[in-house]
Amino acid sequence: MSELLSIDDISVSYGNIKALQNVSMHVNQGDIVCLIGANGSGKSTLLKAIVGQEPLVNGSITFDGEEICKTRNTLEGKGKKRNKLMTTDVIVSRGIALVPEGRRVFADMTVEENLDMGAFLVRDDKLIAERKESMYDFFPILGARRRQKTRSLSGGEQQMMAIARALMSAPRMILLDEPGLGLAPLVIADIFGKIDLINKQDNVTVFLVEQNARMALKASTEGYVMENGKIVLNDKSSALLANEKVRAAYLGE
Ligand code: ATP
């Protein structure tokens, strides 16, 4: 299987706080890979770095063979020659879409308007309309509520809409930041079922960040464990589910 996303030795700091330290991770085309870790371990920072929202102190990120994130040093280079950091919209155009933590929906917009926002790079209205219809087929509840303001949707419905919005750019890879956060177990199971279908039917590679380690490891083929900004374990998800340290620290056993 070919490698789609390669994160090589990256570090990110917020002032004195070293949020990520020499992190390396690899995601193959077609896989579901998860990253688990406690609150504040650096998971969201990693996703922000991938989509160009946090500059790297060192290291590089490559998507489909193209370097998408460079270090500040590279950016500022010698002789003040500045390489431009790829902006988020350029990274999205390469085929990565982020479903952010807390969903970040536009609450005063309708479902339909939110989906339109996800297609901001698409110029063809017919294609946008077709993609919206396929989202309504895939998430029928969104079809039924297409003209309702998003604030009137339940948490689970808003999460589905956030996923649908990300899919409107027809990404090759989606990054999901805690899709189960604050939702009831049955709703989480429903959402994880959809994520699996998106991966298997549409061949979208999935990178899943979760505090709910059990759900994430069951849903994925490979997993990484992050502690204090560092990767401390990487293995097949089935092996991590059986790992004594993981069971004690993340599965409450
Ligand atoms: P959570 O599950 O709560 O979202 P996380 O694993 O995603 O946690 P991050 O949000 O990436 O963790 O945070 C990693 C570290 O960086 C934490 O110590 C956090 O307090 C710090 N941090 C995150 N964002 C900022 C910021 N904008 N400014 C300063 N420090 C930050």
Side-chain angles (χ1 to χ4, degrees):
M1 251 191 234
S2 65
E3 191 173 276
L4 189 59
L5 180 74
S6 176
I7 297 169
D8 295 294
D9 196 32
I10 71 162
S11 300
V12 171
S13 294
Y14 300 107
N16 291 333
I17 300 169
K18 292 181 176 169
L20 297 179
Q21 295 183 62
N22 305 102
V23 169
S24 293
M25 299 181 64
H26 302 276
V27 181
N28 285 334
Q29 166 81 43
D31 273 3
I32 301 182
V33 173
C34 78
L35 171 67
I36 61 173
N39 219 335
S41 56
K43 305 180 302 299
S44 298
T45 300
L46 181 78
L47 295 187
K48 287 182 196 156
I50 297 170
V51 295
Q53 289 172 1
E54 291 297 343
L56 310 182
V57 177
N58 57 268
S60 66
I61 303 179
T62 305
F63 182 71
D64 198 21
E66 180 183 21
E67 197 172 0
I68 54 169
C69 301
K70 302 174 182 198
T71 65
R72 236 190 259 271
N73 287 344
T74 321
L75 288 174
E76 283 162 7
K78 283 183 189 155
K80 294 198 175 160
K81 224 168 89 183
R82 286 178 69 105
N83 277 322
K84 269 199 179 159
L85 185 73
M86 265 196 198
T87 51
T88 302
D89 56 334
V90 176
I91 293 173
V92 171
S93 77
R94 294 301 193 270
I96 300 182
L98 172 65
V99 183
E101 185 177 357
R103 311 183 267 276
R104 305 275 153 82
V105 292
F106 301 104
D108 286 325
M109 290 184 179
T110 64
V111 168
E112 183 152 24
E113 287 164 344
N114 264 280
L115 295 188
D116 285 335
M117 297 294 282
F120 70 102
L121 290 170
V122 185
R123 296 278 164 260
D124 180 345
D125 287 345
K126 193 163 158 262
L127 185 58
I128 295 174
E130 279 169 17
R131 284 192 189 163
K132 276 192 289 200
E133 284 309 317
S134 71
M135 290 306 139
Y136 298 146
D137 285 345
F138 191 61
F139 297 108
I141 191 73
L142 298 183
R145 310 247 158 121
R146 66 180 83 183
R147 299 203 210 296
Q148 286 184 23
K149 291 254 195 286
T150 301
R151 68 168 69 256
S152 69
L153 304 186
S154 70
E157 290 160 2
Q158 289 189 18
Q159 184 63 59
M160 288 183 190
M161 203 201 63
I163 295 171
R165 186 179 57 187
L167 293 174
M168 287 296 290
S169 63
R172 297 175 61 195
M173 177 173 208
I174 50 171
L175 313 175
L176 292 150
D177 197 351
E178 310 226 13
L181 193 69
L183 302 177
L186 273 179
V187 180
I188 296 177
D190 198 10
I191 285 170
F192 274 70
K194 292 290 188 193
I195 294 169
D196 200 54
L197 281 175
I198 292 163
N199 172 254
K200 306 276 181 311
Q201 286 181 359
D202 301 336
N203 198 27
V204 177
T205 304
V206 176
F207 184 44
L208 173 68
V209 164
E210 261 293 343
Q211 268 187 63
N212 186 334
R214 191 182 307 275
M215 281 305 291
L217 290 171
K218 282 187 176 163
S220 57
T221 45
E222 189 176 345
Y224 289 81
V225 181
M226 182 172 268
E227 284 175 8
N228 300 319
K230 294 180 183 162
I231 298 295
V232 293
L233 274 174
N234 165 221
D235 209 333
K236 296 265 168 259
S237 299
S238 52
L240 290 175
L241 273 168
N243 181 301
E244 272 183 31
K245 278 188 196 154
V246 173
R247 293 172 79 97
Y250 298 101
L251 303 178
E253 291 177 6

